[in-house]
Amino acid sequence: MKKTLVVMGLVVAVMAMMVAPAFAAGDAMVRVTHASPDAGAVDVCVNGSAAFKDLAFGQTTDYATLPAGTYDVQVYPAGSNCQGTPVIDAKGLKLDAKAYTVMAIDTVSNIKPLILVDNLTAPAAGKVHVRFVHASPDAPAVDITTADGA
């Protein structure tokens, strides 16, 4: 599972480079990654309405466009219809006109959001943008190297 979470973080980063959607000035783009290994499927609710439903561990949503502003975001067990006690309750989340990946990380008893600003600009010719996210709650620190050891 430790390797899976590290690889999943890499896959999420590479997906961000491959899908560089255009968004209107003044809009935020948000996608969600479920990276809590012992949490069941979840619904993500924005201002009391379901934005993403039945998101399982290891899945990442497509980007959703929202006007830049402040939002209340809650994560509930799937099928909750945005009712009950959320497992994540992020009230007053300020989103600027940027692209974001929001990851639900750690075990369900310690679950929390990790909010990352995505770089969707085209990389220089022959280059890629890569982001590594170590989100495994039970793995030690890791070293990431290239084939030549750098």
Side-chain angles (χ1 to χ4, degrees):
M1 178 165 36
K2 296 172 191 175
K3 288 182 183 179
T4 300
L5 285 173
V6 172
V7 171
M8 185 176 68
L10 177 58
V11 169
V12 167
V14 171
M15 285 173 45
M17 272 54 80
M18 293 174 23
V19 180
F23 55 102
D27 284 342
M29 293 180 58
V30 181
R31 66 183 181 167
V32 178
T33 297
H34 183 330
S36 178
D38 65 340
V42 298
D43 293 339
V44 180
C45 301
V46 177
N47 290 344
S49 297
F52 304 107
K53 290 184 174 184
D54 204 27
L55 187 63
F57 172 69
Q59 289 184 314
T60 298
T61 68
D62 292 331
Y63 283 100
T65 302
L66 296 167
T70 303
Y71 295 89
D72 292 339
V73 178
Q74 288 84 28
V75 177
Y76 293 91
S80 70
N81 201 26
C82 301
Q83 302 294 313
T85 303
V87 293
I88 294 177
D89 191 2
K91 292 186 177 162
L93 180 63
K94 185 176 182 323
L95 298 176
D96 295 323
K98 298 178 182 178
Y100 298 90
T101 297
V102 180
M103 300 178 74
I105 62 169
D106 213 333
T107 58
V108 74
S109 63
N110 295 311
I111 197 167
K112 58 188 162 274
L114 173 63
I115 302 169
L116 305 168
V117 175
D118 297 335
N119 179 357
L120 299 182
T121 60
K127 303 290 182 182
V128 297
H129 297 170
V130 177
R131 172 189 287 148
F132 294 93
V133 177
H134 182 346
S136 175
D138 63 350
V142 298
D143 293 325
I144 300 170
T145 62
T146 60
D148 67 0

